[in-house]
Amino acid sequence: MASFVKSTNRKGKTDEVIQQEEIIQAVVIADSFNTRFAPLTIFKPKVLLPLVNRPLLDYTLEFLSINGIQETFVFCCSHAQKIKDYILKSCWSNPDSPMSVTTIVSESFLSMGDILRELDSKAIIRSDFILLSGDTVSQIPVKDILLKHKKQQQRDKGLVMTLVFKKALPKHKTRCLEDECVIAVEPETERILHYQKVGCKKKIEFPLTIFQENNKVTLRYDLLDTHISICSPHVPPLFSDNFDYQTRDDFVRGVLINEEIMGNTLNFHLIDGGYAAQVSNLTMYDAVSQDIIKRWSYPVVPDLLSLPGGRYSYLRHNIYKQKDVVLKRQCILNENVVIGHGSKVGSHSSIINSVIGHDCEIGNNVHIDGCYIWNRVKVEDGCFLQSCLLADNVVVKKGVTIQAGSVLSYNVVVGPDITIKCSTLLQAEPPSTEMDEFGDNQTLEPSDSMVVDPELVGTEGNGFLCHLSRGRDDDNEEFPEDVWGRTCQSESEDNETSVLDSVEELSDGDSPPPDDLRLFYNEVLDSLLRGTEEKVKWENLVLEVNSSKYAYNVTMKEVNTLVMKAILEIPKQGSQEPLQPQVYLVALKPLLSQLLPLMKNYVRSKESQLDCLSALEEFGIVNEELGVIIMKVLHFLYEKDILSEPVILEWYSNPPVLGDLDPAEQNLLRRKVQPFIKWLEEAEEESSEEDSD
């Protein structure tokens, strides 16, 4: 970036003259302090873990490069040699690379504060710079934010840092629970007046002075912290002067508290569109991976990235394949699937919402849903894998079921014919408590036995159970989380997020994004579950549904449809096996009676009745084994005056378009409800005859 000076010519006009070239610098923190990726990081630094078959660090460096950053410093302590070796062998070390990448190593780096103090002692920062971690995935125009920061500095000489945020409503999938924050901003200058982490607090207190001293104050709780900061050259010296500053949050609090004394200020920048997220734990790893596969992060997508093994070919339904992939007959790649070079998939196997690394072998009759399988993994015949992570060189013997939330670290072997229970964490070596050398506050508590347990990993397995615990000084003990970093919840709650995965998204022209619809649906299902269990008054349930409607800007058509779907889904919650129709109907009948006033509140007009019927039809098609009970539900709603005869007959004779569902399946469902339709028509004829008499 060039800096300019103004000069006046003979005619009195002002010319801009380039004075000197200014190099744009960035500082990347490669160490993952307080990481939740243990024990995977025992063997490999987190920034080199594969995200959609590419090291995390590559995404960060690519982001800086496309923004025109010329000089980047990568700071690391643990696994430093592996990071250095990777950068030396990567394209970032090529002579024609547009960005120079320098690795700086020190065993004393135990926090971000230590890194910035080292940065100050080396005096390598010459101007404003970009500060971020090595697990950041983004494509926002950070160079433009840097230019804006410089302009604001001309007005406010005390501006030392601009924090970059993205708008995201609470419970958004890329909002990490640990990063929930609320800030107060002076809207005209964008100066941050107050910054506070929320955690599990129900109430937030703001200093009265910020309202007394400012004419306008904006309070924001709809923000996602991108962990990208624009810093002035004064930031490293401020860390050197205050050894209490260990994290960026420490720095922000210190600047806000001492602002009157030191005169330093912080600014807030809200990006309009674009994508930015930090892979801070396995939940975020899952969320960011799916965003990349579904192309929310475009142009940071697999087919446009330079990857080992060559570029990916991009096929319909977000299927990505590299060269030398072998797919046997009758194997199914449903949607959102990435397969690396040299991998093989056997016959009658199905894969959905998953990433397969390179040189993997997937056997016959294997079902993989929402999984991340790294490199050289072997999965034998007849296995069922759901929402799990398998690191390099894992072997899954035949007939193994791996339940959601499990992580199998490097070289683990499990099976045959065994079930790995939910959220099980396995590693190939006996667990050890000596993890301080890696700079992590979390420790691994040893299991009761250091001998391989056949009941845990199978008769041919090799692996040890690993319990994840926090250090004593962890400030986030209020979050009861599993290894994926998620707040612990019941199995019925876990099932909520998968309900809409099996149906097509609604296609109303005024609809919010699919993610918001999913969040709205989850909140409605949660409200109805709790309401039916606790016998909550239907008026209060209506208030909860309506509040969610306004929070996510959902249309009434979607409310009518999703409320009906949620009611139909309740009996399935908590059941591991598919319910038989008779069992399902027995559970559904009292729910329909209990929620009858709620349905009458929403299903009133002809349009809302058609919405309700579309929800019934879609549920019956997606849940084929339960399609036979749709007729009984129709009869119940007809008897209770929720659905009228003319509307039912119109729906039957004019099938609605339901996304990409096969019309043949709609015809099949109509044959199942035909006896009820015939009964209605005959009743109508008899009524007509009586009227004529």
Side-chain angles (χ1 to χ4, degrees):
M1 182 179 66
S3 60
F4 299 92
V5 295
K6 292 183 178 180
S7 62
T8 305
N9 59 22
R10 292 180 180 179
K11 296 181 180 181
K13 295 182 179 180
T14 301
D15 296 327
E16 288 184 336
V17 181
I18 299 178
Q19 185 181 40
Q20 61 181 359
E21 285 294 326
E22 183 181 287
I23 296 177
I24 306 177
Q25 297 175 305
V27 173
V28 175
I29 300 175
D31 273 290
S32 304
F33 307 110
N34 301 320
T35 182
R36 296 191 181 280
F37 275 76
L40 298 175
T41 49
I42 295 176
F43 308 103
K44 185 183 286 188
K46 177 187 168 187
V47 293
L48 297 188
L49 297 182
L51 180 75
V52 192
N53 296 339
R54 192 187 197 200
L56 264 170
L57 183 60
D58 253 359
Y59 287 91
T60 305
L61 297 178
E62 183 78 25
F63 158 61
L64 295 172
S65 178
I66 63 177
N67 273 282
I69 309 305
Q70 296 127 312
E71 190 174 37
T72 296
F73 301 96
V74 178
F75 285 78
C76 55
C77 173
S78 60
H79 306 290
Q81 192 57 47
K82 291 182 179 180
I83 296 174
K84 290 180 69 174
D85 291 344
Y86 174 77
I87 292 176
L88 286 173
K89 295 176 183 177
S90 70
C91 63
W92 308 111
S93 295
N94 293 341
D96 57 347
S97 174
M99 179 176 69
S100 69
V101 180
T102 304
T103 306
I104 299 177
V105 180
S106 174
E107 295 181 356
S108 63
F109 296 157
L110 299 178
S111 68
M112 190 188 80
D114 295 334
I115 289 173
L116 288 174
R117 282 183 276 274
E118 179 74 9
L119 198 65
D120 182 44
S121 66
K122 291 184 177 295
I124 56 178
I125 294 298
R126 297 182 290 277
S127 63
D128 298 291
F129 65 97
I130 300 163
L131 176 67
L132 71 168
S133 62
D135 50 18
T136 301
V137 178
S138 179
Q139 32 77 302
I140 64 173
V142 71
K143 188 175 179 180
D144 295 342
I145 304 173
L146 178 63
L147 292 173
K148 178 183 175 182
H149 172 85
K150 288 179 175 291
K151 290 180 180 178
Q152 290 174 326
Q153 276 185 325
Q154 296 175 3
R155 183 182 66 247
D156 181 3
K157 300 300 182 182
L159 176 60
V160 293
M161 182 181 287
T162 296
L163 281 65
V164 181
F165 294 90
K166 183 179 183 298
K167 185 174 180 179
L169 294 173
K171 297 187 179 180
H172 191 279
K173 62 180 181 179
T174 52
R175 273 183 67 159
C176 182
L177 182 63
E178 298 165 7
D179 293 330
E180 294 280 289
C181 65
V182 60
I183 66 173
V185 181
E186 203 287 310
E188 293 183 359
T189 62
E190 297 185 337
R191 182 165 64 93
I192 295 177
L193 306 173
H194 183 72
Y195 175 96
Q196 186 174 349
K197 284 292 185 72
V198 174
C200 290
K201 298 174 182 175
K202 300 298 182 183
K203 295 181 180 179
I204 300 294
E205 296 182 358
F206 293 89
L208 182 60
T209 54
I210 67 173
F211 301 99
Q212 294 174 332
E213 298 174 359
N214 298 275
N215 294 328
K216 295 181 180 179
V217 177
T218 301
L219 304 181
R220 303 295 298 257
Y221 181 55
D222 58 341
L223 301 174
L224 180 155
D225 189 350
T226 67
H227 293 275
I228 300 172
S229 305
I230 311 299
C231 305
S232 81
H234 301 295
V235 169
L238 285 172
F239 272 88
S240 295
D241 294 341
N242 298 272
F243 277 84
D244 290 338
Y245 294 168
Q246 298 298 323
T247 65
R248 194 194 68 170
D249 291 343
D250 293 339
F251 176 78
V252 170
R253 283 193 296 268
V255 170
L256 293 177
I257 291 172
N258 299 317
E259 189 264 332
E260 292 183 0
I261 302 173
M262 304 299 295
N264 297 321
T265 60
L266 305 169
N267 267 20
F268 155 90
H269 179 83
L270 182 66
I271 58 175
D272 182 17
Y275 185 86
Q278 183 190 25
V279 185
S280 54
N281 54 40
L282 286 172
T283 298
M284 293 299 297
Y285 178 87
D286 175 37
V288 174
S289 295
Q290 292 299 318
D291 285 346
I292 293 172
I293 296 170
K294 295 173 184 176
R295 308 181 79 78
W296 290 105
S297 59
Y298 187 90
V300 183
V301 289
D303 53 306
L304 298 182
L305 297 174
S306 177
L307 297 164
R311 291 188 180 275
Y312 283 90
S313 57
Y314 174 52
L315 309 176
R316 292 179 62 188
H317 306 299
N318 298 328
I319 306 295
Y320 304 86
K321 294 191 300 180
Q322 277 185 309
K323 63 181 181 180
D324 301 327
V325 172
V326 178
L327 303 177
K328 296 291 184 68
R329 285 186 176 184
Q330 296 180 318
C331 73
I332 301 173
L333 305 183
N334 287 281
E335 60 179 354
N336 306 322
V337 176
V338 179
I339 302 184
H341 64 88
S343 291
K344 303 175 183 178
V345 181
S347 60
H348 297 93
S349 292
S350 65
I351 305 175
I352 183 171
N353 298 325
S354 300
V355 177
I356 311 295
H358 66 76
D359 300 313
C360 295
E361 294 184 29
I362 310 299
N364 303 323
N365 299 301
V366 174
H367 178 74
I368 299 175
D369 183 358
C371 300
Y372 300 94
I373 298 175
W374 293 357
N375 304 318
R376 300 176 298 281
V377 173
K378 184 176 182 180
V379 181
E380 297 183 359
D381 299 346
C383 294
F384 183 92
L385 281 61
Q386 183 176 14
S387 301
C388 59
L389 188 151
L390 277 57
D392 296 348
N393 305 312
V394 166
V395 177
V396 181
K397 300 287 185 177
K398 65 179 183 178
V400 172
T401 296
I402 302 179
Q403 296 181 349
S406 297
V407 177
L408 277 60
S409 192
Y410 304 91
N411 306 308
V412 166
V413 180
V414 293
D417 302 314
I418 193 170
T419 296
I420 306 298
K421 296 182 180 180
C422 290
S423 302
T424 299
L425 180 60
L426 296 175
Q427 63 181 59
E429 301 295 330
S432 170
T433 57
E434 296 179 359
M435 288 198 55
D436 290 342
E437 59 182 305
F438 299 105
D440 296 328
N441 289 336
Q442 292 178 318
T443 59
L444 297 178
E445 296 177 350
S447 57
D448 295 335
S449 175
M450 293 298 181
V451 179
V452 174
D453 183 1
E455 294 185 1
L456 176 66
V457 296
T459 55
E460 301 177 20
N462 177 53
F464 298 87
L465 187 64
C466 194
H467 299 283
L468 194 62
S469 67
R470 303 170 184 268
R472 295 179 180 178
D473 298 330
D474 199 327
D475 294 332
N476 294 315
E477 291 180 356
E478 60 207 46
F479 299 110
E481 295 175 342
D482 64 12
V483 69
W484 286 73
R486 303 171 299 188
T487 301
C488 293
Q489 52 191 1
S490 66
E491 291 180 359
S492 62
E493 291 172 326
D494 285 337
N495 290 334
E496 292 175 18
T497 58
S498 62
V499 174
L500 286 183
D501 291 336
S502 61
V503 295
E504 296 295 327
E505 301 292 356
L506 299 174
S507 57
D508 192 308
D510 297 325
S511 297
D515 289 337
D516 286 353
L517 283 180
R518 193 180 303 273
L519 292 170
F520 169 76
Y521 175 84
N522 290 340
E523 288 194 7
V524 169
L525 182 58
D526 180 65
S527 295
L528 297 186
L529 271 170
R530 180 178 49 79
T532 53
E533 291 173 358
E534 300 177 4
K535 309 296 182 184
V536 176
K537 291 183 179 180
W538 71 270
E539 296 95 336
N540 295 336
L541 290 178
V542 169
L543 289 174
E544 290 188 25
V545 173
N546 288 344
S547 65
S548 298
K549 171 190 180 299
Y550 293 118
Y552 295 104
N553 195 27
V554 176
T555 65
M556 281 308 302
K557 176 181 178 65
E558 290 152 353
V559 172
N560 298 331
T561 305
L562 294 179
V563 165
M564 194 65 219
K565 286 181 181 178
I567 294 172
L568 296 171
E569 191 67 30
I570 290 175
K572 296 172 59 181
Q573 298 301 297
S575 176
Q576 296 293 329
E577 301 294 334
L579 293 178
Q580 295 299 317
Q582 193 61 35
V583 176
Y584 174 82
L585 187 60
V586 169
L588 181 64
K589 279 185 176 179
L591 284 173
L592 292 176
S593 299
Q594 184 179 351
L595 296 173
L596 192 62
L598 177 79
M599 288 187 283
K600 286 184 176 180
N601 180 78
Y602 290 109
V603 184
R604 298 178 180 178
S605 64
K606 174 184 175 181
E607 290 75 16
S608 60
Q609 291 183 53
L610 289 173
D611 295 337
C612 177
L613 286 163
S614 296
L616 285 169
E617 181 175 4
E618 192 167 349
F619 181 84
I621 293 173
V622 173
N623 300 273
E624 186 177 356
E625 71 282 359
L626 301 177
V628 294
I629 59 91
I630 295 299
M631 183 177 70
K632 294 185 180 296
V633 177
L634 278 175
H635 191 194
F636 175 86
L637 297 178
Y638 170 73
E639 291 290 339
K640 298 299 182 182
D641 295 327
I642 299 292
L643 300 176
S644 65
E645 178 182 328
V647 176
I648 295 175
L649 294 176
E650 179 182 338
W651 161 80
Y652 181 79
S653 58
N654 299 295
V657 178
L658 299 176
D660 295 332
L661 291 180
D662 190 349
E665 294 178 328
Q666 290 182 270
N667 293 333
L668 179 62
L669 181 74
R670 274 163 170 67
R671 285 198 292 271
K672 293 177 181 178
V673 302
Q674 190 173 14
F676 174 66
I677 300 298
K678 185 178 179 181
W679 177 80
L680 276 181
E681 292 173 339
E682 291 175 350
E684 185 178 13
E685 291 175 1
E686 292 177 2
S687 176
S688 299
E689 291 175 0
E690 291 176 359
D691 291 340
S692 62
D693 292 340

